[in-house]
Amino acid sequence: MTKLLQLLERDCTLTHEELAAMTGMTAEAVGEAVRQYEKDRVLLGYRAVVDWDQTDREAVTALIEVKVTPQRGEGFDRIAQRIYQYDEVESVYLMSGAFDLTVIISGRTLKEVAHFVGEKLATIEDVTGTATHFILHKYKENHLIFEKQEEQQERFVFE
Amino acid sequence: MMDYDKILCGRIKNVPPSGIRKYFDLLSGMEGGISLGIGEPDFVTPWHIRDAGIYSLEKGFTKYTPNAGLSDLRSAISQYLKRRFDLEYTAVGQIIVTVGGSEGLDLAFRCMLEPGDEVIIPTPSFVCYGPLVSMAHGVPVYVETKAEDEFRLTPETLRSAITPRTKAVVLPFPCNPTGGVMERADLEALAEVLRGTDIMVVSDEIYAELTYGHRHVSMANLPEMYERTIVVNGFSKAYSMTGWRLGYLCGPKELIAAMTKLHQYGIMSAPTTSQYAAIEAMANGDGDIEGMKEEYDGRRRFLVDGFRKLGLSCFEPRGAFYTFPCIRSTGLTSEEFCDRFLTQEHVAVIPGSAFGPGGEGFVRACYAASMKDLAEALCRLERFLKSLESC
C-alpha cells in the first residue's frame, strides 16, 4: 500500500484512474485508500512548489534556530505547538544537537520576518535564544530543482 | 568524377536505410509534439555515477585503458553478474568492455562468421542484428515470434530454421520492441534443440535488469549452454547511461580472446571516463536500477491499460520499456497508422514493420516518457481512433 503513497508523494496530480492503472488496483479502491489515508492524516495535503523569484511577488524565507527550556511533563511539544500556530511558520522540527527547534518562517519582507522573530517568537516564555538565518536563494526543494535544466539538444533517433 | 557507387561495397549498399528517422524529423518541426518513439531511458544518469566520471577527469585519468577494459571494471562486472544473475565469468579472460552493447554484437558476429554462415534472428527485434550479420559476410535468417506465443521464440520455430550453415542464433530477450521475455522453461526448450550442436547463442541481455514480475534468466545459466553462449550486456539501459557508450561481452575465453584482438585494432579501448563511471555504477548502482524500474513499471501498466481501454489489444510486456499494441482493428498498416497519428495528433510511435517480419500490424510505443506525456498521448490516441471510425 505504500506504493500509492510513494506515487502521490512524487506527483499528487495523478488521477485516481492513472494511479489505478499504475498499481493494478481499481479506481474505486484507489479512491477509498486515499480517503482513508486522508482521514488518518497519513496524507496531510497536496501542495505546489512555487519559485516565487520568477514572479513579482516578494518573498523571504528564514531558518531560525530556537533554544527552549523544555517543560515538565510536556517536553518540547507544548512550546512547539505555540510556535506552529502562527501562520507565518512553515515548518517546525525538533532537532538533536546544539539547539532545540528549527523553525522555518516565510514573510513578504525582511522586516516582516524580523518583526515576527523579535516580537512573537523570542518573547514566548521558555524560548531562551534564537539565531535567524535568511535564505538567500533556493536551489532545490522537495526533490525539485529551481534552476531551469538544460536539455541535450541533439539526440540519437534511429533505435 | 569519382563514381562512389563503385567505390562502396555491395554489402553496405544492400543495408536498407532505417525507416524510423522520418518520424523524428517530422516531429521536431511540430509544436507540442510528443515522442514515444525514442528507445532510450528518459532519466539522466544518476549523479553519483556522473560524479565518478568527473572525478576521474579531475585526477587526470585520460589515457587509454587495457584493451579489454580496466581490470577494476572487469572485476566489478564479474561480481555484478554473479550477484544479479548468478553468472560466473572471470574478470581476466572472459570479459571484454566494449563501446556499447552494439560493438559487442559486431565483434561477436565478425569473429565467428565465415561468408555464407547463417544467423537465426527472431523478429520483431532491434534493427541492428541483420545489418551487422550482413556486414560480417553472414546471412541473416529471420524467424517470426508471435503475439499468441507472447513473442517468445519457440523450439519448433528455432528447429525449422536450422540448416547445416547455421552458425549462431540471436536471443534478443527481454525484447525491443515487443517486451517479450524468455523464462527458464522457455530457454530450456531451446537448449534442448541446441545441445549437441555447434551453434552459438548470442544473447543480447541489454534489458536484463528491466523485467517486471520475474528475474531475468540467461541462456548461459543453463547446463551445457554456458559454453555455447556469448552474453552481450551494457550500462545504457540499466543505469540510463546511453551516451557513455559502454557495454561488455562475456563468453568462453577462446572466443573472448579473438574478440579482444579485433577490438584492439578497431577501437583500442572503450572510453576511459565512461569506464570509471561504470565502476561506480556497478559498485553502488543497484538502488538506482530498482528505482527506475519501479517508475517504468507504473508507466508500463498505465500505458497497456490505456491501449486496452481504447480497444487496442496489447500484449502485456514483461521486459524492456516498450509496449507493442496491435493496430489491425483500425484497418491501417502500421506505417499508415504512424504517419497519420503523427500528422493528425503530433505523437510519434514507430511502425512494427520497422522491426522485421512479424512486426506489421503493431506499433511500438516507448514508456520511457513522463506520465504527463503518456496521459496526453492516450488522450490524443482516443481522438485519433474516433476520427478513423467516422471516416
Side-chain angles (χ1 to χ4, degrees):
Chain A
M1 281 310 268
T2 55
K3 177 84 195 153
L4 208 51
L5 294 172
Q6 280 170 359
L7 288 169
L8 280 170
E9 191 183 37
R10 213 175 301 145
D11 181 3
C12 66
T13 65
L14 292 170
T15 64
H16 289 181
E17 286 72 24
E18 286 168 346
L19 288 165
M22 292 170 84
T23 54
M25 299 165 73
T26 64
E28 292 69 33
V30 169
E32 185 49 44
V34 168
R35 269 190 297 280
Q36 193 60 45
Y37 282 135
E38 287 170 350
K39 204 171 142 218
D40 298 342
R41 296 190 49 75
V42 175
L43 273 171
L44 299 181
Y46 310 88
R47 323 266 322 225
V49 177
V50 180
D51 183 3
W52 288 110
D53 285 353
Q54 291 201 49
T55 69
D56 301 337
R57 191 177 186 267
E58 292 287 326
V60 181
T61 310
L63 184 151
I64 305 160
E65 301 170 2
V66 183
K67 284 185 184 167
V68 303
T69 314
Q71 290 166 333
R72 186 188 299 252
E74 312 256 358
F76 293 95
D77 294 353
R78 202 175 129 67
I79 185 93
Q81 268 170 26
R82 291 194 62 186
I83 293 172
Y84 70 56
Q85 300 291 348
Y86 289 105
D87 281 346
E88 295 90 331
V89 174
E90 267 188 24
S91 315
V92 179
Y93 308 110
L94 180 63
M95 310 298 290
S96 66
F99 58 96
D100 303 307
L101 298 171
T102 292
V103 177
I104 296 173
I105 309 253
S106 61
R108 258 197 296 244
T109 61
L110 216 78
K111 215 166 144 187
E112 205 176 282
V113 173
H115 181 261
F116 175 83
V117 175
E119 295 296 312
K120 296 182 174 157
L121 191 61
T123 59
I124 293 174
E125 214 181 332
D126 304 318
V127 169
T128 59
T130 63
T132 304
H133 309 276
F134 284 99
I135 287 164
L136 302 179
H137 183 69
K138 287 185 184 176
Y139 290 101
K140 186 176 181 182
E141 202 171 282
N142 285 332
H143 298 279
L144 298 167
I145 296 169
F146 281 70
E147 198 172 73
K148 198 170 185 306
Q149 299 292 295
E150 230 176 289
E151 273 202 38
Q152 187 179 330
Q153 284 309 312
E154 292 177 57
R155 301 261 306 268
F156 173 75
V157 294
F158 140 92
E159 195 170 1
Chain B
M1 279 294 276
M2 294 287 284
D3 182 357
Y4 293 109
D5 204 47
K6 282 188 184 140
I7 304 269
L8 286 170
C9 73
R11 291 192 308 285
I12 191 68
K13 282 192 285 188
N14 288 335
V15 171
S18 162
I20 300 179
R21 180 160 212 114
K22 67 171 182 179
Y23 295 99
F24 296 99
D25 290 345
L26 283 169
L27 187 73
S28 66
M30 286 174 175
E31 193 71 20
I34 296 176
S35 176
L36 305 186
I38 288 183
E40 72 175 324
D42 62 327
F43 299 102
V44 177
T45 307
W47 171 249
H48 66 105
I49 298 173
R50 282 185 275 158
D51 191 42
I54 294 165
Y55 189 51
S56 77
L57 288 172
E58 283 178 354
K59 285 188 288 190
F61 297 163
T62 57
K63 304 280 202 297
Y64 295 127
T65 72
N67 296 129
L70 291 166
S71 53
D72 281 353
L73 177 56
R74 280 178 286 145
S75 296
I77 293 169
S78 172
Q79 288 160 22
Y80 162 90
L81 289 172
K82 178 69 191 154
R83 181 173 78 240
R84 309 282 295 183
F85 303 110
D86 199 26
L87 287 170
E88 308 253 6
Y89 288 103
T90 57
V92 178
Q94 283 199 289
I95 297 173
I96 166 172
V97 179
T98 57
V99 178
S102 310
E103 194 220 345
L105 292 164
D106 191 34
L107 290 179
F109 295 136
R110 286 204 282 158
C111 288
M112 291 193 300
L113 301 182
E114 297 286 0
D117 278 353
E118 293 172 0
V119 177
I120 297 171
I121 303 169
T123 62
S125 62
F126 180 42
V127 294
C128 83
Y129 306 118
L132 288 181
V133 166
S134 300
M135 288 309 294
H137 302 265
V139 178
V141 176
Y142 296 109
V143 294
E144 285 183 34
T145 60
K146 298 196 165 64
E148 56 263 36
D149 298 325
E150 301 187 322
F151 292 108
R152 287 183 272 220
L153 177 61
T154 62
E156 298 75 33
T157 308
L158 174 63
R159 194 177 288 116
S160 68
I162 292 174
T163 75
R165 292 308 306 265
T166 303
K167 192 65 167 280
V169 53
V170 175
L171 285 187
F173 297 100
C175 185
N176 165 17
T178 64
V181 299
M182 297 284 284
E183 294 195 64
R184 185 178 287 272
D186 306 316
L187 292 172
E188 182 51 49
L190 298 187
E192 275 299 295
V193 180
L194 296 171
R195 284 186 189 116
T197 71
D198 289 333
I199 299 171
M200 289 297 297
V201 172
V202 177
S203 188
D204 184 355
E205 305 185 13
I206 194 79
Y207 292 102
E209 288 287 5
L210 299 177
T211 56
Y212 310 99
H214 68 105
R215 287 295 297 161
H216 171 76
V217 179
S218 172
M219 187 55 115
N221 289 120
L222 272 56
E224 290 176 62
M225 292 312 293
Y226 181 78
E227 55 266 40
R228 294 186 164 78
T229 301
I230 297 164
V231 172
V232 181
N233 207 327
F235 296 84
S236 295
K237 311 303 202 265
Y239 301 99
S240 208
M241 289 178 73
T242 45
W244 299 78
R245 305 310 310 123
L246 210 65
Y248 50 92
L249 267 181
C250 313
K253 61 182 192 313
E254 294 79 359
L255 298 184
I256 294 297
M259 289 165 196
T260 307
K261 200 159 65 178
L262 179 55
H263 171 81
Q264 84 180 328
Y265 292 123
I267 297 288
M268 202 78 86
S269 60
T272 303
T273 313
S274 303
Q275 292 193 52
Y276 279 104
I279 293 172
E280 169 64 20
M282 299 233 122
N284 299 308
D286 289 5
D288 300 304
I289 296 174
E290 299 305 331
M292 289 191 266
K293 191 167 95 168
E294 208 168 297
E295 184 80 36
Y296 289 136
D297 192 21
R299 301 174 191 179
R300 175 185 76 101
R301 291 159 178 268
F302 174 68
L303 198 57
V304 170
D305 183 67
F307 287 136
R308 288 179 180 166
K309 280 188 176 141
L310 294 176
L312 298 181
S313 73
C314 185
F315 159 72
E316 183 174 340
R318 295 178 62 205
F321 40 52
Y322 309 97
T323 54
F324 205 55
C326 177
I327 50 87
R328 287 200 191 104
S329 59
T330 63
L332 302 175
T333 66
S334 57
E335 197 167 338
E336 284 166 350
F337 182 97
C338 294
D339 286 358
R340 288 176 60 176
F341 192 29
L342 181 62
T343 320
Q344 268 177 252
E345 297 291 347
H346 300 185
V347 178
V349 293
I350 306 296
S353 51
F355 300 99
E360 180 50 51
F362 298 86
V363 300
R364 186 190 81 174
C366 174
Y367 50 85
S370 71
M371 273 298 291
K372 291 266 174 300
D373 277 359
L374 295 178
E376 176 60 24
L378 283 173
C379 274
R380 296 186 194 184
L381 178 62
E382 183 171 19
R383 198 162 57 201
F384 175 65
L385 293 173
K386 284 217 174 89
S387 81
L388 294 178
E389 281 166 22
S390 57
C391 58

